[in-house]
Amino acid sequence: MILSIESSCDDSAVAITKINTCELILHKKISQELEHSIYGGVVPELASRLHATALPKILNSCKPYFKQLKAVAVTSTPGLAITLVEGVMMAKAISIALNIPIISVNHLKGHIYSLFIRKSSQFPLTVLLVSGGHTQVIEAKNLIDMKVVAKSMDDSFGESFDKVAKMMGLGYPGGVKIEKLAQNGDVKRYNFTVPLHQSPLISFSYSGLKNAVRLAILNAKKEDYKDIAASFEHIAVKHLTQKLKKYFKSNPPIKFAIVGGASANFYLRKEIKKILTPYNCTLLLADLEYCSDNAAMIGRIAVDMYHLKMFTNLEDVAVASRSKL
Ligand code: KG4
Ligand code: ZN
Protein backbone atom coordinates (compact mmCIF):
# COMPACT_ATOMS: atom_id res chain seq x y z
CA MET A 1 0.00 0.00 0.00
CA ILE A 2 0.97 3.64 -0.49
CA LEU A 3 0.20 6.40 1.98
CA SER A 4 -0.36 9.74 0.24
CA ILE A 5 -0.48 13.27 1.60
CA GLU A 6 -1.93 16.48 0.12
CA SER A 7 -1.45 19.95 1.64
CA SER A 8 -0.88 22.28 -1.34
CA CYS A 9 -3.58 24.76 -0.33
CA ASP A 10 -6.41 24.65 2.21
CA ASP A 11 -7.22 20.93 2.32
CA SER A 12 -5.34 18.55 4.62
CA ALA A 13 -5.79 15.06 3.20
CA VAL A 14 -4.30 11.59 3.59
CA ALA A 15 -5.14 8.41 1.66
CA ILE A 16 -4.08 4.79 1.51
CA THR A 17 -4.14 3.06 -1.88
CA LYS A 18 -3.43 -0.57 -2.73
CA ILE A 19 -0.58 -0.88 -5.22
CA ASN A 20 -1.77 -3.98 -7.05
CA THR A 21 -5.46 -3.13 -7.47
CA CYS A 22 -5.58 0.70 -7.12
CA GLU A 23 -8.22 0.12 -4.45
CA LEU A 24 -8.72 3.15 -2.23
CA ILE A 25 -8.54 1.77 1.30
CA LEU A 26 -8.89 5.02 3.22
CA HIS A 27 -9.32 8.71 2.42
CA LYS A 28 -9.62 11.43 5.01
CA LYS A 29 -9.76 15.14 4.37
CA ILE A 30 -10.12 18.15 6.64
CA SER A 31 -11.04 21.30 4.71
CA GLN A 32 -10.35 24.75 6.07
CA GLU A 33 -13.03 26.58 4.07
CA LEU A 34 -14.79 27.90 7.14
CA GLU A 35 -11.61 29.33 8.67
CA HIS A 36 -10.68 31.19 5.48
CA SER A 37 -14.22 32.21 4.54
CA ILE A 38 -14.23 35.43 6.58
CA TYR A 39 -11.12 36.62 4.71
CA GLY A 40 -12.62 35.90 1.26
CA GLY A 41 -9.62 33.76 0.29
CA VAL A 42 -6.91 31.48 1.64
CA VAL A 43 -4.56 33.05 4.21
CA PRO A 44 -1.32 31.04 3.75
CA GLU A 45 0.02 31.37 7.34
CA LEU A 46 -3.30 30.32 8.80
CA ALA A 47 -3.55 27.41 6.34
CA SER A 48 -0.08 26.22 7.31
CA ARG A 49 -0.89 26.24 11.03
CA LEU A 50 -4.14 24.38 10.44
CA HIS A 51 -2.31 21.68 8.42
CA ALA A 52 0.14 21.28 11.31
CA THR A 53 -2.70 20.13 13.57
CA ALA A 54 -4.97 18.43 11.02
CA LEU A 55 -2.40 16.19 9.28
CA PRO A 56 -1.18 14.33 12.41
CA LYS A 57 -4.81 13.93 13.49
CA ILE A 58 -5.71 12.20 10.19
CA LEU A 59 -2.49 10.21 10.19
CA ASN A 60 -3.55 8.53 13.42
CA SER A 61 -6.30 6.65 11.58
CA CYS A 62 -3.68 5.23 9.17
CA LYS A 63 -1.66 3.53 11.93
CA PRO A 64 -3.22 0.05 11.41
CA TYR A 65 -1.78 0.06 7.86
CA PHE A 66 1.76 1.22 8.68
CA LYS A 67 3.27 -2.28 8.41
CA GLN A 68 1.89 -2.74 4.90
CA LEU A 69 3.23 0.53 3.47
CA LYS A 70 5.72 0.30 0.60
CA ALA A 71 6.05 4.04 -0.06
CA VAL A 72 4.85 7.45 1.04
CA ALA A 73 3.69 9.95 -1.62
CA VAL A 74 3.39 13.68 -1.12
CA THR A 75 2.43 16.73 -3.17
CA SER A 76 5.58 18.85 -3.38
CA THR A 77 4.63 21.32 -6.15
CA PRO A 78 2.88 23.61 -7.21
CA GLY A 79 1.00 25.31 -4.39
CA LEU A 80 1.63 27.48 -1.36
CA ALA A 81 5.21 26.78 -0.21
CA ILE A 82 4.29 27.34 3.42
CA THR A 83 1.53 24.69 3.29
CA LEU A 84 3.31 22.22 0.99
CA VAL A 85 6.14 22.02 3.51
CA GLU A 86 3.77 20.68 6.18
CA GLY A 87 2.95 17.62 4.07
CA VAL A 88 6.53 17.17 2.91
CA MET A 89 7.88 17.23 6.49
CA MET A 90 5.34 14.61 7.51
CA ALA A 91 6.25 12.45 4.50
CA LYS A 92 9.95 12.67 5.36
CA ALA A 93 9.29 11.68 8.97
CA ILE A 94 7.23 8.66 7.83
CA SER A 95 9.89 7.69 5.28
CA ILE A 96 12.59 7.67 7.98
CA ALA A 97 10.47 6.00 10.65
CA LEU A 98 9.18 3.20 8.40
CA ASN A 99 12.21 3.01 6.11
CA ILE A 100 10.17 3.39 2.90
CA PRO A 101 10.85 5.55 -0.18
CA ILE A 102 9.22 8.90 -0.98
CA ILE A 103 7.28 9.61 -4.17
CA SER A 104 7.22 13.33 -4.86
CA VAL A 105 4.06 14.28 -6.76
CA ASN A 106 3.15 17.22 -9.01
CA HIS A 107 -0.29 18.42 -7.87
CA LEU A 108 -1.49 19.19 -11.42
CA LYS A 109 -0.65 15.70 -12.64
CA GLY A 110 -2.41 14.49 -9.49
CA HIS A 111 -5.61 16.23 -10.66
CA ILE A 112 -5.37 14.34 -13.95
CA TYR A 113 -5.18 11.09 -12.00
CA SER A 114 -8.40 11.98 -10.14
CA LEU A 115 -9.97 10.49 -13.29
CA PHE A 116 -8.43 7.09 -12.53
CA ILE A 117 -9.22 6.58 -8.83
CA ARG A 118 -10.00 2.82 -8.42
CA LYS A 119 -9.45 2.41 -12.20
CA SER A 120 -6.64 1.90 -14.66
CA SER A 121 -5.18 4.96 -16.31
CA GLN A 122 -6.02 5.89 -19.92
CA PHE A 123 -3.80 7.89 -22.26
CA PRO A 124 -3.39 9.88 -24.49
CA LEU A 125 -5.76 12.57 -23.24
CA THR A 126 -6.48 16.22 -23.91
CA VAL A 127 -7.18 17.79 -20.53
CA LEU A 128 -8.85 21.00 -19.44
CA LEU A 129 -7.56 21.76 -15.94
CA VAL A 130 -9.67 24.35 -14.13
CA SER A 131 -8.77 24.98 -10.51
CA GLY A 132 -8.19 27.84 -8.11
CA GLY A 133 -4.60 28.26 -9.26
CA HIS A 134 -4.66 27.12 -12.89
CA THR A 135 -6.55 27.22 -16.18
CA GLN A 136 -4.70 25.08 -18.67
CA VAL A 137 -5.16 22.81 -21.64
CA ILE A 138 -2.76 19.90 -21.38
CA GLU A 139 -1.82 17.26 -23.93
CA ALA A 140 -1.09 14.24 -21.74
CA LYS A 141 0.55 11.41 -23.70
CA ASN A 142 1.34 9.41 -20.57
CA LEU A 143 2.37 9.85 -16.94
CA ILE A 144 5.67 11.47 -17.88
CA ASP A 145 4.98 13.21 -21.18
CA MET A 146 2.52 16.04 -20.47
CA LYS A 147 2.60 19.40 -22.23
CA VAL A 148 0.70 22.62 -21.47
CA VAL A 149 -0.67 23.90 -24.79
CA ALA A 150 -2.76 26.80 -23.46
CA LYS A 151 -2.95 28.69 -20.16
CA SER A 152 -4.28 31.77 -18.46
CA MET A 153 -2.38 35.03 -18.79
CA ASP A 154 -3.73 36.26 -15.43
CA ASP A 155 -6.45 34.96 -13.07
CA SER A 156 -7.64 31.39 -13.24
CA PHE A 157 -11.21 30.24 -13.94
CA GLY A 158 -11.84 29.10 -10.33
CA GLU A 159 -10.17 32.18 -8.88
CA SER A 160 -12.50 34.45 -10.88
CA PHE A 161 -15.49 32.71 -9.26
CA ASP A 162 -13.87 33.20 -5.84
CA LYS A 163 -13.29 36.90 -6.51
CA VAL A 164 -16.81 37.52 -7.81
CA ALA A 165 -18.22 35.75 -4.73
CA LYS A 166 -16.01 37.89 -2.49
CA MET A 167 -17.26 41.08 -4.19
CA MET A 168 -20.83 39.93 -3.53
CA GLY A 169 -19.97 39.22 0.11
CA LEU A 170 -20.63 35.47 -0.28
CA GLY A 171 -17.38 34.26 1.33
CA TYR A 172 -14.85 31.67 0.17
CA PRO A 173 -14.72 29.42 -1.82
CA GLY A 174 -16.91 31.09 -4.37
CA GLY A 175 -17.32 28.48 -7.10
CA VAL A 176 -20.21 26.53 -5.64
CA LYS A 177 -21.86 29.69 -4.26
CA ILE A 178 -21.83 31.47 -7.62
CA GLU A 179 -23.01 28.33 -9.44
CA LYS A 180 -25.94 28.01 -7.05
CA LEU A 181 -26.88 31.69 -7.27
CA ALA A 182 -26.62 31.58 -11.08
CA GLN A 183 -29.20 28.78 -11.32
CA ASN A 184 -32.06 31.25 -10.81
CA GLY A 185 -30.48 34.08 -12.78
CA ASP A 186 -30.84 35.45 -16.30
CA VAL A 187 -27.69 34.75 -18.36
CA LYS A 188 -28.60 37.48 -20.86
CA ARG A 189 -29.31 40.31 -18.39
CA TYR A 190 -25.69 41.51 -18.25
CA ASN A 191 -23.85 41.70 -21.53
CA PHE A 192 -20.27 41.02 -20.42
CA THR A 193 -17.66 40.76 -23.19
CA VAL A 194 -16.09 37.37 -23.84
CA PRO A 195 -12.36 37.72 -23.01
CA LEU A 196 -9.90 37.60 -25.95
CA HIS A 197 -12.87 37.22 -28.27
CA GLN A 198 -11.09 38.87 -31.22
CA SER A 199 -7.65 37.48 -30.45
CA PRO A 200 -6.23 34.57 -32.48
CA LEU A 201 -4.34 33.44 -29.35
CA ILE A 202 -5.38 30.23 -27.68
CA SER A 203 -4.93 31.59 -24.17
CA PHE A 204 -7.22 32.52 -21.32
CA SER A 205 -7.77 35.73 -19.34
CA TYR A 206 -10.19 36.43 -16.52
CA SER A 207 -9.02 39.75 -15.05
CA GLY A 208 -11.00 41.92 -17.51
CA LEU A 209 -14.20 39.96 -16.95
CA LYS A 210 -13.69 40.19 -13.20
CA ASN A 211 -13.40 43.98 -13.48
CA ALA A 212 -16.54 44.24 -15.63
CA VAL A 213 -18.39 42.20 -13.00
CA ARG A 214 -17.02 44.48 -10.26
CA LEU A 215 -18.49 47.53 -12.02
CA ALA A 216 -21.83 45.76 -12.49
CA ILE A 217 -21.94 44.90 -8.78
CA LEU A 218 -21.21 48.53 -7.84
CA ASN A 219 -24.31 49.65 -9.72
CA ALA A 220 -26.56 46.76 -8.73
CA LYS A 221 -29.01 45.93 -5.95
CA LYS A 222 -28.80 42.65 -4.04
CA GLU A 223 -31.72 41.23 -6.06
CA ASP A 224 -29.66 41.70 -9.25
CA TYR A 225 -26.82 39.47 -7.98
CA LYS A 226 -28.34 36.26 -9.32
CA ASP A 227 -28.45 37.74 -12.84
CA ILE A 228 -24.87 39.00 -12.50
CA ALA A 229 -23.77 35.53 -11.33
CA ALA A 230 -25.59 33.83 -14.23
CA SER A 231 -24.25 36.25 -16.84
CA PHE A 232 -20.73 35.98 -15.41
CA GLU A 233 -20.76 32.17 -15.34
CA HIS A 234 -22.12 32.10 -18.89
CA ILE A 235 -19.30 34.31 -20.23
CA ALA A 236 -16.59 32.64 -18.11
CA VAL A 237 -17.58 29.28 -19.63
CA LYS A 238 -18.11 30.71 -23.13
CA HIS A 239 -14.50 31.96 -23.04
CA LEU A 240 -13.29 28.40 -22.41
CA THR A 241 -15.51 26.83 -25.06
CA GLN A 242 -14.65 29.45 -27.69
CA LYS A 243 -10.92 28.88 -27.26
CA LEU A 244 -11.30 25.10 -27.11
CA LYS A 245 -13.37 25.07 -30.31
CA LYS A 246 -10.56 26.97 -32.01
CA TYR A 247 -7.96 24.54 -30.62
CA PHE A 248 -9.99 21.50 -31.71
CA LYS A 249 -9.96 22.70 -35.35
CA SER A 250 -6.30 21.77 -35.67
CA ASN A 251 -6.24 19.22 -32.83
CA PRO A 252 -9.46 17.17 -32.95
CA PRO A 253 -10.00 15.58 -29.52
CA ILE A 254 -10.22 11.81 -29.14
CA LYS A 255 -10.34 11.54 -25.37
CA PHE A 256 -11.07 14.75 -23.51
CA ALA A 257 -11.11 15.31 -19.75
CA ILE A 258 -12.04 18.14 -17.40
CA VAL A 259 -10.26 18.09 -14.03
CA GLY A 260 -9.63 20.39 -11.06
CA GLY A 261 -11.91 21.89 -8.42
CA ALA A 262 -13.97 23.88 -10.93
CA SER A 263 -14.63 20.79 -13.08
CA ALA A 264 -17.49 20.15 -10.64
CA ASN A 265 -19.38 23.03 -12.29
CA PHE A 266 -22.43 21.55 -14.06
CA TYR A 267 -22.89 24.39 -16.51
CA LEU A 268 -19.25 24.00 -17.62
CA ARG A 269 -19.68 20.22 -18.00
CA LYS A 270 -22.85 20.73 -20.09
CA GLU A 271 -21.29 23.32 -22.40
CA ILE A 272 -18.12 21.25 -22.94
CA LYS A 273 -20.26 18.22 -23.83
CA LYS A 274 -21.93 20.36 -26.53
CA ILE A 275 -18.67 21.36 -28.22
CA LEU A 276 -17.49 17.74 -28.21
CA THR A 277 -20.54 16.43 -30.11
CA PRO A 278 -19.08 16.97 -33.63
CA TYR A 279 -16.17 14.72 -32.65
CA ASN A 280 -16.21 11.02 -31.93
CA CYS A 281 -14.76 11.83 -28.54
CA THR A 282 -15.03 10.34 -25.06
CA LEU A 283 -15.43 12.77 -22.17
CA LEU A 284 -13.76 11.75 -18.91
CA LEU A 285 -14.79 13.34 -15.63
CA ALA A 286 -13.76 12.64 -12.06
CA ASP A 287 -16.33 11.74 -9.41
CA LEU A 288 -17.57 14.98 -7.83
CA GLU A 289 -15.93 14.21 -4.48
CA TYR A 290 -12.50 13.98 -6.13
CA CYS A 291 -12.67 17.16 -8.27
CA SER A 292 -11.37 19.40 -5.50
CA ASP A 293 -8.02 18.82 -3.80
CA ASN A 294 -7.69 15.39 -2.22
CA ALA A 295 -5.12 12.74 -1.35
CA ALA A 296 -6.83 9.91 -3.26
CA MET A 297 -5.62 11.37 -6.59
CA ILE A 298 -2.09 11.73 -5.16
CA GLY A 299 -2.18 8.08 -4.07
CA ARG A 300 -3.48 7.00 -7.47
CA ILE A 301 -0.71 8.69 -9.47
CA ALA A 302 1.79 7.39 -6.90
CA VAL A 303 0.78 3.81 -7.78
CA ASP A 304 1.81 4.39 -11.43
CA MET A 305 5.00 6.17 -10.26
CA TYR A 306 5.78 3.28 -7.89
CA HIS A 307 5.64 0.79 -10.76
CA LEU A 308 8.15 2.96 -12.65
CA LYS A 309 10.30 3.29 -9.48
CA MET A 310 9.98 7.07 -9.57
CA PHE A 311 11.29 7.66 -6.06
CA THR A 312 13.02 10.82 -4.83
CA ASN A 313 15.94 10.83 -2.39
CA LEU A 314 14.91 12.10 1.00
CA GLU A 315 17.28 15.09 0.83
CA ASP A 316 16.08 16.02 -2.66
CA VAL A 317 12.37 16.29 -1.80
CA ALA A 318 11.81 20.04 -1.83
CA VAL A 319 8.75 22.21 -2.18
CA ALA A 320 8.28 24.63 -5.08
CA SER A 321 5.36 27.04 -5.34
CA ARG A 322 5.57 27.02 -9.15
CA SER A 323 6.52 24.20 -11.44
CA LYS A 324 6.43 22.82 -14.93
CA LEU A 325 4.52 19.65 -15.68
O1 KG4 B 1 -8.57 22.07 -7.44
P1 KG4 B 1 -8.98 22.92 -6.32
O2 KG4 B 1 -9.70 22.27 -5.16
O3 KG4 B 1 -7.77 23.71 -5.71
C1 KG4 B 1 -6.70 24.14 -6.48
O4 KG4 B 1 -5.84 23.31 -6.83
O5 KG4 B 1 -6.71 25.36 -6.79
O6 KG4 B 1 -9.91 24.07 -6.93
C2 KG4 B 1 -10.53 25.00 -6.13
C3 KG4 B 1 -11.20 26.03 -7.03
C4 KG4 B 1 -11.73 27.23 -6.25
O7 KG4 B 1 -11.35 28.41 -6.93
C5 KG4 B 1 -13.23 27.02 -6.32
O8 KG4 B 1 -13.99 28.21 -6.23
C6 KG4 B 1 -13.40 26.36 -7.66
O9 KG4 B 1 -12.31 25.45 -7.72
N1 KG4 B 1 -14.67 25.64 -7.76
C7 KG4 B 1 -15.65 25.97 -8.64
C8 KG4 B 1 -16.72 25.09 -8.37
N2 KG4 B 1 -16.36 24.26 -7.34
C9 KG4 B 1 -15.10 24.62 -6.99
N3 KG4 B 1 -15.69 26.90 -9.59
C10 KG4 B 1 -16.82 26.99 -10.32
N4 KG4 B 1 -17.91 26.21 -10.11
C11 KG4 B 1 -17.91 25.24 -9.16
N5 KG4 B 1 -18.97 24.46 -8.96
ZN1 ZN C 1 -5.87 21.47 -6.88
Side-chain angles (χ1 to χ4, degrees), residues 133-154:
H134 296 84
T135 305
Q136 299 184 335
V137 180
I138 299 163
E139 286 296 352
K141 286 203 179 131
N142 53 48
L143 165 67
I144 295 155
D145 188 348
M146 296 193 188
K147 204 169 115 202
V148 178
V149 292
K151 61 182 182 184
S152 175
M153 306 191 297
D154 41 60

Short mmCIF file of all heavy atoms in Angstrom, two decimals, residues 133-154:
data_model
loop_
_atom_site.label_atom_id
_atom_site.label_comp_id
_atom_site.label_asym_id
_atom_site.label_seq_id
_atom_site.Cartn_x
_atom_site.Cartn_y
_atom_site.Cartn_z
N GLY A 133 -5.90 27.71 -8.89
CA GLY A 133 -4.60 28.26 -9.26
C GLY A 133 -4.30 28.19 -10.75
O GLY A 133 -3.41 28.89 -11.24
N HIS A 134 -5.02 27.37 -11.49
CA HIS A 134 -4.66 27.12 -12.89
C HIS A 134 -5.86 27.03 -13.82
O HIS A 134 -6.92 26.56 -13.44
CB HIS A 134 -3.85 25.82 -13.00
CG HIS A 134 -2.54 25.90 -12.29
ND1 HIS A 134 -2.43 25.66 -10.95
CD2 HIS A 134 -1.30 26.23 -12.73
CE1 HIS A 134 -1.17 25.83 -10.58
NE2 HIS A 134 -0.46 26.17 -11.63
N THR A 135 -5.62 27.47 -15.07
CA THR A 135 -6.55 27.22 -16.18
C THR A 135 -5.65 26.83 -17.34
O THR A 135 -4.92 27.67 -17.87
CB THR A 135 -7.35 28.49 -16.54
OG1 THR A 135 -7.99 28.95 -15.36
CG2 THR A 135 -8.39 28.22 -17.62
N GLN A 136 -5.65 25.57 -17.66
CA GLN A 136 -4.70 25.08 -18.67
C GLN A 136 -5.36 24.03 -19.56
O GLN A 136 -6.23 23.29 -19.10
CB GLN A 136 -3.50 24.41 -17.99
CG GLN A 136 -2.69 25.30 -17.09
CD GLN A 136 -1.47 24.62 -16.50
OE1 GLN A 136 -1.42 23.40 -16.39
NE2 GLN A 136 -0.48 25.40 -16.13
N VAL A 137 -4.86 23.97 -20.79
CA VAL A 137 -5.16 22.81 -21.64
C VAL A 137 -3.86 22.03 -21.72
O VAL A 137 -2.80 22.60 -22.00
CB VAL A 137 -5.65 23.23 -23.04
CG1 VAL A 137 -5.96 21.99 -23.88
CG2 VAL A 137 -6.87 24.13 -22.94
N ILE A 138 -3.96 20.74 -21.44
CA ILE A 138 -2.76 19.90 -21.38
C ILE A 138 -2.91 18.73 -22.34
O ILE A 138 -3.96 18.08 -22.37
CB ILE A 138 -2.57 19.35 -19.93
CG1 ILE A 138 -2.40 20.50 -18.93
CG2 ILE A 138 -1.38 18.38 -19.85
CD1 ILE A 138 -2.63 20.09 -17.48
N GLU A 139 -1.86 18.48 -23.11
CA GLU A 139 -1.82 17.26 -23.93
C GLU A 139 -1.03 16.25 -23.10
O GLU A 139 0.17 16.39 -22.91
CB GLU A 139 -1.14 17.52 -25.28
CG GLU A 139 -1.98 18.29 -26.28
CD GLU A 139 -3.27 17.58 -26.73
OE1 GLU A 139 -3.47 16.39 -26.40
OE2 GLU A 139 -4.08 18.23 -27.41
N ALA A 140 -1.73 15.24 -22.60
CA ALA A 140 -1.09 14.24 -21.74
C ALA A 140 -0.94 12.94 -22.52
O ALA A 140 -1.92 12.25 -22.79
CB ALA A 140 -1.94 14.02 -20.49
N LYS A 141 0.30 12.64 -22.92
CA LYS A 141 0.55 11.41 -23.70
C LYS A 141 0.63 10.20 -22.76
O LYS A 141 0.22 9.10 -23.11
CB LYS A 141 1.85 11.54 -24.48
CG LYS A 141 1.71 12.46 -25.67
CD LYS A 141 2.77 12.15 -26.73
CE LYS A 141 2.57 13.06 -27.92
NZ LYS A 141 3.80 13.70 -28.34
N ASN A 142 1.23 10.45 -21.60
CA ASN A 142 1.34 9.41 -20.57
C ASN A 142 1.72 10.09 -19.26
O ASN A 142 1.78 11.32 -19.20
CB ASN A 142 2.37 8.33 -20.97
CG ASN A 142 3.72 8.93 -21.33
OD1 ASN A 142 4.24 9.75 -20.60
ND2 ASN A 142 4.26 8.54 -22.48
N LEU A 143 2.02 9.30 -18.25
CA LEU A 143 2.37 9.85 -16.94
C LEU A 143 3.50 10.88 -17.00
O LEU A 143 3.48 11.90 -16.33
CB LEU A 143 2.77 8.67 -16.03
CG LEU A 143 3.50 8.96 -14.73
CD1 LEU A 143 2.60 9.69 -13.76
CD2 LEU A 143 3.99 7.68 -14.10
N ILE A 144 4.48 10.62 -17.86
CA ILE A 144 5.67 11.47 -17.88
C ILE A 144 5.56 12.58 -18.92
O ILE A 144 5.93 13.71 -18.66
CB ILE A 144 6.92 10.59 -18.14
CG1 ILE A 144 7.09 9.65 -16.93
CG2 ILE A 144 8.18 11.43 -18.34
CD1 ILE A 144 7.84 8.39 -17.23
N ASP A 145 5.03 12.25 -20.08
CA ASP A 145 4.98 13.21 -21.18
C ASP A 145 3.67 14.00 -21.17
O ASP A 145 2.67 13.57 -21.74
CB ASP A 145 5.17 12.45 -22.50
CG ASP A 145 5.32 13.38 -23.69
OD1 ASP A 145 5.07 14.59 -23.54
OD2 ASP A 145 5.70 12.89 -24.77
N MET A 146 3.70 15.16 -20.51
CA MET A 146 2.52 16.04 -20.47
C MET A 146 2.97 17.45 -20.84
O MET A 146 3.97 17.93 -20.32
CB MET A 146 1.90 16.05 -19.07
CG MET A 146 1.36 14.70 -18.63
SD MET A 146 0.32 14.84 -17.19
CE MET A 146 0.04 13.11 -16.80
N LYS A 147 2.20 18.09 -21.74
CA LYS A 147 2.60 19.40 -22.23
C LYS A 147 1.44 20.39 -22.12
O LYS A 147 0.33 20.09 -22.55
CB LYS A 147 3.02 19.24 -23.70
CG LYS A 147 3.98 20.31 -24.16
CD LYS A 147 4.56 19.96 -25.52
CE LYS A 147 4.08 21.00 -26.52
NZ LYS A 147 4.10 20.61 -27.89
N VAL A 148 1.73 21.57 -21.55
CA VAL A 148 0.70 22.62 -21.47
C VAL A 148 0.63 23.31 -22.83
O VAL A 148 1.63 23.84 -23.30
CB VAL A 148 1.05 23.66 -20.37
CG1 VAL A 148 0.01 24.77 -20.33
CG2 VAL A 148 1.16 22.97 -19.01
N VAL A 149 -0.55 23.29 -23.46
CA VAL A 149 -0.67 23.90 -24.79
C VAL A 149 -1.43 25.23 -24.74
O VAL A 149 -1.43 25.98 -25.71
CB VAL A 149 -1.31 22.93 -25.81
CG1 VAL A 149 -0.38 21.77 -26.10
CG2 VAL A 149 -2.67 22.42 -25.34
N ALA A 150 -2.09 25.51 -23.63
CA ALA A 150 -2.76 26.80 -23.46
C ALA A 150 -2.91 27.07 -21.97
O ALA A 150 -3.09 26.15 -21.19
CB ALA A 150 -4.14 26.78 -24.11
N LYS A 151 -2.80 28.37 -21.59
CA LYS A 151 -2.95 28.69 -20.16
C LYS A 151 -3.46 30.11 -19.97
O LYS A 151 -3.52 30.89 -20.93
CB LYS A 151 -1.63 28.48 -19.44
CG LYS A 151 -0.50 29.35 -19.92
CD LYS A 151 0.77 29.01 -19.14
CE LYS A 151 1.87 29.93 -19.62
NZ LYS A 151 3.15 29.67 -19.05
N SER A 152 -3.78 30.43 -18.74
CA SER A 152 -4.28 31.77 -18.46
C SER A 152 -3.13 32.76 -18.36
O SER A 152 -2.06 32.43 -17.85
CB SER A 152 -5.07 31.78 -17.16
OG SER A 152 -5.45 33.11 -16.86
N MET A 153 -3.40 33.98 -18.84
CA MET A 153 -2.38 35.03 -18.79
C MET A 153 -2.47 35.78 -17.46
O MET A 153 -1.60 36.55 -17.13
CB MET A 153 -2.59 36.00 -19.94
CG MET A 153 -2.64 35.29 -21.29
SD MET A 153 -2.58 36.41 -22.70
CE MET A 153 -4.07 37.32 -22.47
N ASP A 154 -3.59 35.58 -16.73
CA ASP A 154 -3.73 36.26 -15.43
C ASP A 154 -4.49 35.36 -14.45
O ASP A 154 -3.98 34.32 -14.06
CB ASP A 154 -4.40 37.64 -15.61
CG ASP A 154 -5.56 37.60 -16.61
OD1 ASP A 154 -6.51 36.86 -16.36
OD2 ASP A 154 -5.50 38.30 -17.65
#
